[in-house]
Amino acid sequence: MSVKIAPSILSADFARLGEDVRVVEAAGAEILHVDVMDGHYVPNLTIGPPVVAALRKVTNMIVDTHLMMTNPDDFIEAFRDAGADMISVHVEAVAHLHRTLDAIRKLGARPGVAINPGTSLSTLDEILPHTDFILIMTVNPGFGGQKFIQTCLSKIARLRAMITERNLDVHIEVDGGIGMSNIRTLVEHGAEWIVAGSAVFGAPDPGAAVKALRARGEGVEA
Ligand code: DX5
Ligand code: ZN
């Protein structure tokens, strides 16, 4: 399974976002994770489509918009128009999940379903064949720099088993509290796309942090 590193710009310096993004791209990060928070679904307010459009102009990375919003359907088109390649919505926030994923796919983006630490994998049972990826939250969404919730490890393994058993082509992304101490274990449990905010942009050298995370995630470091 190939590991992709997805730096989260939530922990970047918003006054020099373009430079921060170039640094992680040059270091080989494949995915740019953009945390969209609406102040309702989560107790924080971040960024919207204009920032995604600005980022799109300065990067060739896959732009991954994680919509932590109560009404994501109202904004899917705007994020896609702004240049989002991946759009994830929360299973807890969407009334007609199949319809929403279908709308994302029809716009030409990859649909994903995000799931909170307290939400059971059983909520994904019917939707699994209709999504490109599952975003397993390993902290409660809303803020960067929180502590990884250990019970999420077995959840990743159980989701991997569900996907394998049903022979589906669904990727597993993980998000929250991930760094050098746990990335390898996460990959061993079945995670492929690794979101890291503070572990990348909170490091003295974000480019070196991306490289170190990848090496440890792939288990190839010396
Ligand atoms: C949390 C966000 C995460 C966050 C991760 O609500 O979805 O993407 O930026 O930050 P770290 O890696 O610092 O936990
Ligand atoms: Zn996120």
Side-chain angles (χ1 to χ4, degrees), residues 42-117:
V42 288
N44 199 359
L45 203 54
T46 56
I47 62 179
V51 176
V52 174
L55 289 168
R56 180 76 284 169
K57 288 190 191 134
V58 298
T59 185
N60 290 315
M61 278 185 282
I62 297 162
V63 174
D64 169 27
T65 50
H66 175 195
L67 305 188
M68 287 161 272
M69 318 175 60
T70 41
N71 293 308
D73 299 87
D74 297 347
F75 287 91
I76 283 164
E77 199 164 349
F79 280 107
R80 177 60 182 152
D81 286 350
D85 302 298
M86 291 162 59
I87 300 177
S88 60
V89 298
H90 270 263
V91 62
E92 304 87 354
V94 175
H96 306 287
L97 192 52
H98 182 277
R99 179 184 287 156
T100 302
L101 298 184
D102 201 39
I104 294 170
R105 204 185 294 283
K106 283 201 174 108
L107 289 167
R110 299 184 77 164
V113 179
I115 178 169
N116 286 331

Side-chain angles (χ1 to χ4, degrees), residues 16-209:
R16 31 167 289 159
L17 208 43
E19 287 161 63
D20 278 4
V21 165
R22 278 187 205 99
V23 166
V24 294
E25 182 165 20
E30 294 93 344
I31 299 174
L32 188 66
H33 186 80
V34 179
D35 287 305
V36 177
M37 305 185 186
D38 69 348
H40 296 278
Y41 182 62
V42 288
N44 199 359
L45 203 54
T46 56
I47 62 179
V51 176
V52 174
L55 289 168
R56 180 76 284 169
K57 288 190 191 134
V58 298
T59 185
N60 290 315
M61 278 185 282
I62 297 162
V63 174
D64 169 27
T65 50
H66 175 195
L67 305 188
M68 287 161 272
M69 318 175 60
T70 41
N71 293 308
D73 299 87
D74 297 347
F75 287 91
I76 283 164
E77 199 164 349
F79 280 107
R80 177 60 182 152
D81 286 350
D85 302 298
M86 291 162 59
I87 300 177
S88 60
V89 298
H90 270 263
V91 62
E92 304 87 354
V94 175
H96 306 287
L97 192 52
H98 182 277
R99 179 184 287 156
T100 302
L101 298 184
D102 201 39
I104 294 170
R105 204 185 294 283
K106 283 201 174 108
L107 289 167
R110 299 184 77 164
V113 179
I115 178 169
N116 286 331
T119 304
S120 168
L121 283 180
S122 63
T123 58
L124 303 177
D125 197 38
E126 298 299 330
I127 207 67
L128 209 51
H130 303 285
T131 190
D132 276 29
F133 66 101
I134 300 292
L135 172 49
I136 295 213
M137 290 306 300
T138 46
V139 298
N140 290 297
F143 304 94
Q146 302 183 82
K147 195 172 176 294
F148 181 84
I149 297 171
Q150 284 299 334
T151 49
C152 296
L153 270 180
S154 83
K155 195 177 188 182
I156 297 163
R158 282 180 281 125
L159 176 60
R160 174 56 64 202
M162 277 166 75
I163 293 168
T164 306
E165 195 178 306
R166 293 166 69 175
N167 201 20
L168 296 170
D169 185 19
V170 176
H171 298 276
I172 301 180
E173 185 175 32
V174 288
D175 184 7
I178 300 167
M180 288 298 279
S181 67
N182 55 7
I183 186 168
R184 182 66 195 148
T185 315
L186 286 162
V187 172
E188 284 168 350
H189 281 74
E192 301 167 77
W193 302 341
I194 316 291
V195 177
S198 47
V200 170
F201 291 111
D205 181 344

